[in-house]
Amino acid sequence: MENIKILLDESDIPRQWYNLAADLPTPLLPPLGPDGKPVSPDMLAPVFPMNLIEQEVSPERWIDIPDGILNILYRWRPAPLRRAVYLEKHLDTPARIYYKDESQSPPGSHKPNTAVAQAWYNKEFGINKLTTETGAGQWGSALAFACKLLELECKVFMVRISFDQKPFRKIMMQVWGANCIASPSNETNAGRKVLEEMPDTPGSLGIAISEAIEEAVTDSTGKTRYSLGSVLNHVLLHQTIIGLEAKKQLEKIGEKPDIVIGCAGGGSNFAGLSFPFVADKINGAEITIIPVEPTACPTMTRAPFAYDFGDTACTTPLLAMHTLGHAFIPPPIHAGGLRYHGMAPLVCQAIVEGLLEPRAYHQLESYKAAITWARSEGFITAPETSQAIAAVIEEAKKAKEEGKEKVILFNYSGHGLMDLTGYDAYLSGNLTDYELPEEEMQKYLQDLEKLPKAEMRKSGKW
Ligand SMILES: *Cc1c(COP(=O)(O)O)cnc(C)c1O
């Protein structure tokens, strides 16, 4: 069997990240402050270090990856590109399916690509402690890992219900030396206020974000900052090492993708794989690029493009994005990483341009795909990634019907070895599909009426 594992030498690792903002035909709408005016970089300075703020607003196409970051990424990068020959055989498809394996990082997902970069830039800026929030714990564990390697203190506010019900990633954070506490907590004003009103609340990502930001900006030493695991431009930038590696690996075997697929929660693993190929599409290549989301949280496929807050407590700047409304309470589907109410502004502007073709899948179809995957390829996938696999299987079947040798590339964003309770629920018949009812979506969207409107600007080329 040939070419089922396409590897790069360490010396072939990309030395620059790719910034799609430089090539989008219509520029991103700026983030807005509470006064409705664009936020200036110094307004963000209490929250993020200035070197990352500069990346956030950078118009440069290529940004050098510092050696200090590469030296850490070498532990698991370049990541393998694998060909899913056993799935191809199982489906009897003429399509050739390749996947970038991001599950091999120590925390088990793509998230450390940016966690390491963010910790490194913070350290460089003289920061000695990072705060963040986490839901099921994927992001918290990635940041805990990165902070340990860079000798930064790390404090993670973990949504109460996950803290109690999903202890394994909390333990991972503790193993890497982070302080992981349940949110809402008694340690911040935001947390205490919620606890007074609702002592038994299960918590939410919105509350945890508010606590993490408060803890960062109120530290009297000025040496604490906040870190976010997706959505923002600099986070997507750090993830482009995935697609840049994949491109080199495909070139090595003389392949070009016809279809590129990734699941999208905040948009970072999808963007990381796809943006270098979006650049090819802007330059004339014929590629179908598909971000995939759950029908339970249909941000890209049904929600409007609008200005909205990034958090439930309305403390962040307003971002122009597809959004279900900042008060959106996601149903408890197992793909915990795909339940965010918004989506990365860069991904959304590419959707508005017509460069991407978003798609939504039901939970049961995704688990069915995950089982097919495990029983052919052997790996047990994260529930988030299974959404991408559902799309891959659909495209591979279409290629069979059409008798076409399509080349499909997707991002294998993480393994599912910490998520086995979802598989248990599926296998014992206790999972159901959920499609967000229209009335419920409209209820959440009412909050957007009071906010500034986002203009949909497009070149009309796609
Ligand atoms: C967090 C996570 C996602 C979703 O987040 P993005 O920012 O959209 O990439 C997808 N897959 C895995 C395995 C994750 O941990």
Side-chain angles (χ1 to χ4, degrees):
M1 193 80 68
E2 269 178 22
N3 283 346
I4 67 165
K5 235 181 9 265
I6 301 110
L7 305 174
L8 290 178
D9 289 336
E10 279 173 15
S11 57
D12 289 329
I13 201 165
R15 288 172 187 278
Q16 293 180 312
W17 291 299
Y18 169 66
N19 181 12
L20 179 66
D23 287 322
L24 277 177
T26 41
L28 285 183
L29 290 171
L32 303 180
D35 55 359
K37 299 210 178 87
V39 289
S40 63
D42 32 298
M43 288 166 75
L44 298 172
V47 183
F48 301 110
M50 198 45 83
N51 47 14
L52 285 177
I53 296 171
E54 280 162 14
Q55 279 187 354
E56 184 63 22
V57 298
S58 173
E60 297 298 322
R61 179 173 294 120
W62 295 102
I63 293 177
D64 288 344
I65 310 178
D67 282 343
I69 294 174
L70 288 175
N71 284 340
I72 294 177
L73 297 183
Y74 285 137
R75 286 174 196 234
W76 71 96
R77 308 207 72 87
L81 179 75
R82 303 181 191 275
R83 182 164 166 198
V85 278
Y86 305 101
L87 179 68
E88 290 170 19
K89 274 208 192 94
H90 173 79
L91 298 173
D92 188 26
T93 174
R96 295 191 292 285
I97 302 170
Y98 295 93
Y99 63 104
K100 191 64 177 154
D101 189 356
E102 292 297 314
S103 74
Q104 293 201 345
S105 69
S109 76
H110 64 287
K111 287 188 170 80
N113 295 328
T114 186
V116 165
Q118 290 189 46
W120 190 89
Y121 281 108
N122 272 283
K123 173 130 185 160
E124 192 71 2
F125 193 69
I127 299 305
N128 54 29
K129 174 175 163 185
L130 288 178
T131 65
T132 197
E133 75 290 333
T134 197
Q138 292 260 33
W139 170 243
S141 57
L143 193 67
F145 158 77
C147 284
K148 179 42 67 194
L149 298 187
L150 285 149
E151 298 167 320
L152 296 178
E153 228 185 289
C154 179
K155 182 155 172 181
V156 183
F157 291 87
M158 184 169 188
V159 176
R160 167 107 251 164
I161 185 148
S162 305
F163 187 92
D164 294 336
Q165 292 182 353
K166 297 187 175 172
F168 293 119
R169 283 216 173 79
K170 169 179 73 190
I171 300 167
M172 289 168 78
M173 291 179 232
Q174 289 163 346
V175 167
W176 280 313
N179 179 7
C180 175
I181 64 168
S183 166
S185 77
N186 267 317
E187 302 190 17
T188 65
N189 287 331
R192 282 186 291 268
K193 185 158 169 272
V194 177
L195 284 177
E196 261 166 42
E197 290 162 13
M198 301 179 281
D200 298 324
T201 176
S204 74
L205 263 186
I207 298 166
I209 295 178
S210 307
E211 286 202 274
I213 294 180
E214 180 183 328
E215 168 121 359
V217 302
T218 55
D219 174 16
S220 57
T221 67
K223 291 201 180 295
T224 300
R225 292 291 183 277
Y226 165 75
S227 171
L228 190 64
S230 189
V231 181
L232 298 178
N233 301 343
H234 67 273
V235 181
L236 274 53
L237 178 81
H238 300 153
Q239 294 294 355
T240 59
I241 193 167
I242 302 171
L244 294 166
E245 281 180 8
K247 220 168 171 180
K248 283 192 180 190
Q249 285 160 312
L250 287 175
E251 276 163 16
K252 212 170 148 179
I253 53 168
E255 293 273 44
K256 273 191 183 149
D258 298 300
I259 303 170
V260 177
I261 295 172
C263 64
S268 76
N269 88 85
F270 163 75
L273 177 72
S274 69
F275 279 4
F277 298 98
V278 173
D280 290 349
K281 184 159 176 159
I282 290 172
N283 291 319
E286 268 188 41
I287 314 178
T288 304
I289 305 175
I290 307 171
V292 181
E293 66 186 5
T295 50
C297 187
T299 317
M300 299 177 291
T301 50
R302 286 174 59 200
F305 180 75
Y307 267 115
D308 196 9
F309 295 101
D311 67 330
T312 317
C314 307
T315 55
T316 71
L318 293 167
L319 301 174
M321 59 187 176
H322 286 280
T323 174
L324 289 159
H326 51 266
F328 176 69
I329 298 170
I333 53 165
H334 281 276
L338 305 184
R339 292 189 301 184
Y340 185 61
H341 69 272
M343 183 55 63
L346 273 171
V347 170
C348 293
Q349 186 56 37
I351 292 172
V352 169
E353 266 295 348
L355 288 159
L356 311 178
E357 296 169 33
R359 211 181 267 181
Y361 285 91
H362 279 290
Q363 171 160 265
L364 289 179
E365 184 164 358
S366 302
Y367 269 99
K368 190 171 162 224
I371 297 287
T372 302
W373 178 261
R375 292 179 182 175
S376 54
E377 287 300 309
F379 294 102
I380 296 179
T381 178
E384 292 84 0
T385 318
S386 71
Q387 298 260 336
I389 298 175
V392 168
I393 291 178
E394 184 173 343
E395 288 303 316
K397 286 183 175 165
K398 210 193 295 169
K400 181 178 176 181
E401 280 160 26
E402 296 171 355
K404 286 189 182 147
E405 281 192 32
K406 296 263 170 150
V407 175
I408 302 173
L409 169 68
F410 80 97
N411 202 5
Y412 192 72
S413 57
H415 68 66
L417 298 177
M418 300 284 156
D419 308 283
L420 294 176
T421 47
Y423 281 89
D424 185 35
Y426 176 75
L427 293 172
S428 47
N430 290 331
L431 274 194
T432 47
D433 277 339
Y434 182 87
E435 185 154 347
L436 183 65
E438 185 66 24
E439 319 78 74
E440 194 176 334
M441 185 171 82
Q442 293 304 332
K443 186 185 82 192
Y444 290 119
L445 292 178
Q446 279 171 13
D447 288 333
L448 300 177
E449 284 164 17
K450 304 172 226 102
L451 301 174
K453 299 281 165 286
E455 188 195 342
M456 287 177 81
R457 300 188 286 187
K458 56 197 252 179
S459 66
K461 288 187 199 145
W462 295 278

